[in-house]
Amino acid sequence: MTTTEVTPRTAGTPSALTRTRSLREVLQVQSFQILLVLMVIFLIFAAMAPDVFPTWGNVRQIIQNVSILGVLGIGMTFVIVTSGIDLSIGSNLVFSGVVAAKVMQAMGDAGWGTALVGIVVSIGCGLGWGLVNGVLIAKAKVPPLIVTLGTLGGALGLAQVITGGVDIREVPAVLQDTIGYGNVPGTTLPTISLIALVLIVIFGIVLHRTRFGLYTFAIGSNEESARRVGVKVDRQLISIYALSGALAGVAGILSLAQYGTTAIAGQSATNLNVIAAVVIGGTSLFGGVGTIFGTVVGLFIPAVLQNGFVIVGVQPFWQQVAVGAVLVAAVYVDQRRRAAAARGHSVKEKGKKRLFGPRSN
């Protein structure tokens, strides 16, 4: 009679090693690391103000505050993945909202017909500015920083010319009641947040699961290589900046619905806040790396900090200090990761040369 010895599976087996490696890779993803930071911040404030901070009413307020920035963050993620930048989104939001408000004011009706016209006008204005950015960057070869800095001033200046520097406060009540302050039927989830969530999911799929997203990453990784493999780089860049502009137009009408005014002077730091959130969320300023999920997490960090500081009685100005520190740390981590990847690539190339290169006698 023979016996067969069964070797128990230990931590050193390939299966266990694969699981360990997968866990290590997840922990090294910057967006996951930032999510852990967000959870720690949330738990700290929840412990300091357990009766107020972790309640659904307060969390709902945070979600609603992030919604408009979330829409802007989608377009900014696409732009920065291409190693570009869009400084004009805040001014684009203002201009789109101003023109939409003027049109709805001229129509003189407060129903859905007027509101729908305003929505189309706002998105159309944002799209127009995005196309201007894209054409100048892709065809005229003007650096994105200069182009979008110029359109930042142009859009904001035109908005002030149109209004005379005075905010328009006549917004159809239907927009405010249903989108600005309304909830999804049967729930207490803000309608504006649901709109933002739908857009985040749609464009998250576009960025990570479609050819359009693949081409976006290809341009950010190496624009010349993307051209050589057949990517129509100019057309792709124009489309990406047009997308960013159109989403700024969407944010413009959402801002009108939420605040009931054009808020011309209230968006001066919007573009920098969105850029900071996108970079904190793991999208590399050098292009080729980024996720919509990371952007959303990056947006929640300053929102939670600001809300928490107010509740616990700390000056909310400390939020800027904390966000600045996290932003610098995120860029530092990205640079270290890129340097490590470059060293690994260099070692591989040297190994190949040693293996397959000509041998000296």
Side-chain angles (χ1 to χ4, degrees), residues 89-321:
I89 53 171
S91 298
N92 194 345
L93 181 159
V94 171
F95 178 85
S96 301
V98 162
V99 176
K102 272 288 187 182
V103 170
M104 291 187 290
Q105 188 182 54
M107 292 179 70
D109 183 51
W112 267 114
T114 300
L116 289 174
V117 170
I119 291 170
V120 171
V121 168
S122 184
I123 296 174
C125 288
L127 177 63
W129 281 110
L131 286 171
V132 169
N133 287 338
V135 169
L136 289 174
I137 291 165
K139 296 297 185 182
K141 306 302 179 185
V142 183
L145 178 67
I146 303 302
V147 170
T148 58
L149 188 60
T151 51
L152 178 156
L156 185 58
L158 285 174
Q160 291 172 328
V161 167
I162 292 170
T163 61
V166 179
D167 282 313
I168 301 171
R169 302 182 184 277
E170 298 177 23
V171 178
V174 67
L175 273 179
Q176 291 182 274
D177 294 341
T178 57
I179 296 177
Y181 298 104
N183 293 326
V184 177
T187 72
T188 56
L189 178 70
T191 304
I192 194 172
S193 301
L194 178 63
I195 293 170
L197 178 62
V198 169
L199 291 172
I200 286 167
V201 171
I202 290 172
F203 287 104
I205 294 171
V206 169
L207 181 61
H208 300 292
R209 292 289 184 268
T210 69
R211 186 175 298 177
F212 186 89
L214 179 64
Y215 289 169
T216 302
F217 281 107
I219 292 171
S221 298
N222 192 315
E223 184 175 322
E224 188 55 39
S225 295
R227 288 185 193 276
R228 291 179 180 178
V229 297
V231 177
K232 293 180 173 59
V233 172
D234 291 353
R235 187 172 71 182
Q236 184 75 11
L237 284 174
I238 292 172
S239 299
I240 288 168
Y241 281 93
L243 171 64
S244 180
L247 288 169
V250 173
I253 200 70
L254 293 180
S255 177
L256 275 179
Q258 184 170 12
Y259 300 113
T261 179
T262 50
I264 295 173
Q267 303 292 340
S268 57
T270 297
N271 50 358
L272 296 180
N273 290 338
V274 173
I275 291 169
V278 172
V279 175
I280 287 172
T283 300
S284 174
L285 283 170
F286 304 99
V289 177
T291 64
I292 299 293
F293 171 75
T295 294
V296 174
V297 175
L299 285 165
F300 269 101
I301 285 181
V304 170
L305 283 171
Q306 184 175 25
N307 180 273
F309 285 152
V310 170
I311 288 174
V312 300
V314 177
Q315 285 187 331
F317 305 114
W318 281 104
Q319 172 228 350
Q320 299 174 17
V321 177

Side-chain angles (χ1 to χ4, degrees), residues 71-82:
V71 174
L72 294 171
I74 297 168
M76 188 64 76
T77 303
F78 276 83
V79 168
I80 295 181
V81 164
T82 67

